[in-house]
Each structure stands twice: as structure tokens, then as C-alpha cells.
Amino acid sequence: MDHPPGGHGGHGGHDMGGAVSSLDTWGAVLFIGWAVVMWAAVVVVAYANRGPVRPWLFRTSVGVIGLGVVGQIGHFQEHVVQAGYWVANPYSAAWMTPWANSIARGMGQVDPTKPALGMEILHLTGNFIFLAGLVGIVQITRRVTGALKSRKWAKMGVWMQGIHGIEHIVLTLSVALGASRAIGLSTWFGAIDPGPALVTYRVWWHFVANLIGTAILAAALFHLWKEKKAVKDSYLPEPVAAGSRALSPASASASNSEERPAQGAEPVRERELVSRT
């Protein structure tokens, strides 16, 4: 979700101004809450996976992955429609969906003097939701011994999306700290003047980055589906060690009969000894 160039960010064009409604505020709160819940679950799962198997670990990891997939579908469609709008209007300001602008207005209440800040926070939050979903795949495959293709693809996605997340941290901090425009690789560190050139660069930079990231996520999910049996089996209760397995009643009685001498056997030996003497 590339922010519409404009306002304080120095990319001029799309207007996100206007009164902030309660819907804008609730949208921003719920979206940030979504990211916080996902990362809290990731931390809990990562810590609990260090210990013994617990049934809820698998279900929690599946939930994190599902929320990450839903979030990235919404995230990527923003880039698709934005790129499509650019194709039809290459000299216009970047276009955003009404719901993205609504959430950005809600987030912009953090500092109303910086109009671009809300949109940068929106980008940052969306990318970290995506990243949490990829980490969820890494965690759910953690207990499987041997190499899994799903884990390999997910790790690749975590690295790429982690770098992309750093880019959005830099963009957000630059606006929050009072820069005249967002500074980062996707703005060529502020060297490109506001206008169609900057809009084109930002729109396609983020589109390509998210296209690659989404393709990696799709590959990880595809292999995870193929390897689901191995993943599920890794969360089954650990078998009891053979040496500590409890004896059945039949085997216990047989063992006892072998250990103690048959009843009456010793007196017979004594009588035989007396008779021989």
C-alpha cells in the first residue's frame, strides 16, 4: 500500500483530509489490534515450541498463518488497483481505496500536523501483519526433523519481508520526525522531486516488492499443504519410552512367576537329598 503522494510527505496529490469519523478511528484501532494480536501469538508460540508438545500450539500457528494470508490478500489488492490506476492515469496522483484512506485518517490522529503520517503507519502495520504470517509458517514447521520446502520458502519470505519492513520503518520515522517528505529506498531517499516521476517510482517499487513477497508466500503455503501430514504428526504426544512402559497384568504375572520358585519345589529337593543319604 503505497501512500498517495501529497501533503507533508512532499508528494502532492491525493487528499486524505477532512473530518475524522468514528468509523475511521475504529478502523485504525482494529487494524493495529490485528497486528498486535498476531505478534503476541507469534511470541507465545515461539517460546512454547521450545518445550514439550502442546495441542494448542498447532491450532494457534494455523490461526496466525490464516490471519497473515487474509491480511496479505487485502494488502496486495491495494497495490494491484493502484498499479492499474497508474496505467490509466500515469500523470495523476496515486489512488487509494476508500477503506485504506479511512484507516489512514484514523491513524493520522497520532499527529494531525503531519498528514502523511497516518498512511505511513498504515503501510507499516500492513507489512508487519504479512511478516507475522510468514513467521507463523516457520514456527509451525519447527518441530519437523529434516528439511521441509515450506519452511525453506517461509524463511526466504521472512528475510525479504523483514527487509521490506525496515524500509517502512524508515519511511514512517522520517515523516514522524518532521522530514519534508518520506525518506527511504522507495523514495530514492528524497532525491526525486514530487510529481509523476516520484509517483511512478513509488507505485511500481512497492508493487514489485509485494508481488515477489506474495509469490513466496503462495509457494510456502503450497508446500505446507503437501507436507501437512509430517507437520501434524510432529504435534502428536510424544510416545512413552520403551523402558518406562507399564507392564500389562498378564506380563506382570508371568514375570512374577519366573522370579519366584514354584510352590513346593524346595521341599521335594530336600526329601530327595535325605533319601539318597
Side-chain angles (χ1 to χ4, degrees), residues 4-5 8 25 28 34 49 57 74 76 102 126 151 153 155 158 207 222 224 234 242 251 263 267 269 276:
H8 192 69
T25 301
W34 182 350
N49 259 330
L57 278 173
F76 187 57
S102 173
R151 184 175 177 84
W153 279 98
K155 281 186 172 182
V158 168
F207 174 79
F222 172 74
L224 183 62
S234 69
S251 61
Q263 204 169 18
R269 294 196 192 98
R276 288 174 185 171

Side-chain angles (χ1 to χ4, degrees), residues 260-275:
R260 62 173 180 265
Q263 204 169 18
E266 194 63 31
V268 170
R269 294 196 192 98
E270 291 176 1
R271 284 197 298 270
E272 289 176 356
L273 182 61
V274 171
S275 63

Side-chain angles (χ1 to χ4, degrees), residues 8 17 19-20 38 46 73 80 106 108 131 136 144 156 159-160 171 185 194 201-202 239 243-244 250-251 253 259:
H8 192 69
V20 179
M38 285 188 68
I73 289 173
V80 171
L131 179 59
V144 182
M156 188 189 309
W159 276 104
M160 178 180 175
L171 292 170
L185 184 58
Y201 181 59
R202 280 207 72 167
S244 61
S251 61
S253 60
E259 290 176 359

Side-chain angles (χ1 to χ4, degrees), residues 42-98:
V42 165
V43 171
V44 170
V45 168
Y47 179 79
N49 259 330
R50 299 166 61 187
V53 174
R54 294 180 175 87
W56 58 266
L57 278 173
F58 179 80
R59 296 192 297 269
T60 303
S61 298
V62 170
V64 170
I65 296 169
L67 288 173
V69 170
V70 172
Q72 182 56 15
I73 289 173
H75 183 185
F76 187 57
Q77 66 84 27
E78 284 288 327
H79 289 286
V80 171
V81 298
Q82 196 171 62
Y85 183 86
W86 181 93
V87 170
N89 306 274
Y91 297 101
S92 299
W95 183 82
M96 297 297 299
T97 58

Side-chain angles (χ1 to χ4, degrees), residues 9-237:
H11 303 294
H14 191 85
D15 181 19
M16 291 191 307
V20 179
S21 67
S22 57
L23 182 62
D24 299 339
T25 301
W26 277 109
V29 170
L30 291 175
F31 197 62
I32 292 175
W34 182 350
V36 170
V37 167
M38 285 188 68
W39 277 101
V42 165
V43 171
V44 170
V45 168
Y47 179 79
N49 259 330
R50 299 166 61 187
V53 174
R54 294 180 175 87
W56 58 266
L57 278 173
F58 179 80
R59 296 192 297 269
T60 303
S61 298
V62 170
V64 170
I65 296 169
L67 288 173
V69 170
V70 172
Q72 182 56 15
I73 289 173
H75 183 185
F76 187 57
Q77 66 84 27
E78 284 288 327
H79 289 286
V80 171
V81 298
Q82 196 171 62
Y85 183 86
W86 181 93
V87 170
N89 306 274
Y91 297 101
S92 299
W95 183 82
M96 297 297 299
T97 58
W99 46 88
N101 282 325
S102 173
I103 297 174
R105 281 194 300 269
M107 292 178 170
Q109 295 177 88
V110 174
D111 188 349
T113 65
K114 300 180 176 67
L117 182 59
M119 189 58 73
E120 293 296 351
I121 296 174
L122 175 63
H123 303 157
L124 181 66
T125 306
N127 278 277
F128 273 87
I129 287 174
F130 181 24
L131 179 59
L134 288 165
V135 174
I137 298 176
V138 174
Q139 288 301 320
I140 203 172
T141 57
R142 181 173 175 177
R143 292 181 176 273
V144 182
T145 56
L148 290 181
K149 289 185 178 180
S150 56
R151 184 175 177 84
K152 176 183 176 182
W153 279 98
K155 281 186 172 182
M156 188 189 309
V158 168
W159 276 104
M160 178 180 175
Q161 191 58 26
I163 295 171
H164 192 61
I166 292 173
E167 161 74 3
H168 278 285
I169 290 174
V170 173
L171 292 170
T172 303
L173 286 177
S174 63
V175 174
L177 295 176
S180 60
R181 64 186 69 172
I183 298 174
L185 184 58
S186 60
T187 63
W188 204 242
F189 305 102
I192 303 177
D193 292 330
L198 182 54
V199 171
T200 301
Y201 181 59
R202 280 207 72 167
V203 165
W204 288 102
W205 195 98
H206 286 285
F207 174 79
V208 171
N210 278 275
L211 177 64
I212 296 172
T214 303
I216 292 174
L217 173 63
L221 291 172
F222 172 74
H223 289 293
L224 183 62
W225 178 257
K226 292 179 65 176
E227 298 163 345
K228 62 181 178 179
K229 186 180 185 305
V231 175
K232 282 185 176 180
D233 289 348
S234 69
Y235 285 88
L236 294 175

